Amino acid sequence: MSVRTKPSSQDDRLAEVFGAPVDQLYQAADTDTRLRNALELRSHLALTEEQVDRVRDRVHARSAPDRSMDELSEDELRMDTYWMEAALTTRRSYLTALDEVLSAEPSPEPPRPVTFAQPVITARMIPTSGETTARPARGR
């Protein structure tokens, strides 16, 4: 299976940031260096997440409730712990690097026009000669 078809936890975010599904992004990666870097990190992340899944499934299978306790191996579980620690550390590193790349990307949406909530006065009255704005008081 190609790394391009392996899912990763960040596929939706990549599609959101670059404005297209991941399979289409791989086709456009030749012309955009930032996209190519992001997809390279995504590929490594997908492989690392697959390793995390494999180790997790192996630990679950070895420690399943229907298995005999005599089959548990301290050495195998210790080795799985090392593998899991390495895979999770690597995953965190790829997530951090990918987050930095994606945070630097501009939004794919065009900028929205600015609208103001308050109406704007566009015309004003200019008094003509002989008109005043003050009126004489009544009764005088």
Side-chain angles (χ1 to χ4, degrees):
M1 176 184 273
S2 171
V3 73
R4 292 179 177 203
T5 58
K6 288 182 188 303
S8 89
S9 62
Q10 298 299 303
D11 288 352
D12 291 340
R13 185 159 179 231
L14 278 162
E16 180 184 318
V17 168
F18 288 103
V22 171
D23 58 337
Q24 290 177 9
L25 293 176
Y26 273 106
Q27 294 170 359
D30 293 338
T31 59
D32 186 346
T33 304
R34 292 176 301 188
L35 176 58
R36 189 177 26 224
N37 291 341
L39 289 175
E40 211 170 288
L41 286 167
R42 181 234 169 252
S43 296
H44 291 299
L45 177 63
L47 290 172
T48 300
E49 288 178 342
E50 182 181 40
Q51 292 302 312
V52 170
D53 287 343
R54 284 184 182 179
V55 174
R56 181 198 58 209
D57 293 345
R58 190 169 56 231
V59 169
H60 285 189
R62 286 184 179 155
S63 59
D66 59 338
R67 294 202 49 181
S68 168
M69 286 198 178
D70 294 334
E71 294 179 35
L72 285 175
S73 167
E74 192 176 298
D75 291 333
E76 288 175 349
L77 289 172
R78 185 178 305 112
M79 192 56 135
D80 287 336
T81 302
Y82 294 140
W83 275 110
M84 182 62 84
E85 182 180 2
L88 289 175
T89 300
T90 304
R91 179 178 182 270
R92 276 191 297 276
S93 297
Y94 286 133
L95 284 172
T96 300
L98 187 57
D99 186 52
E100 289 175 11
V101 169
L102 294 180
S103 295
E105 275 302 304
S107 173
E109 298 175 8
R112 297 181 185 167
V114 177
T115 57
F116 297 98
Q118 298 177 343
V120 177
I121 298 173
T122 58
R124 60 186 169 139
M125 290 183 54
I126 301 174
T128 60
S129 62
E131 284 186 29
T132 62
T133 56
R135 297 183 183 218
R138 292 188 186 174
R140 288 196 181 200

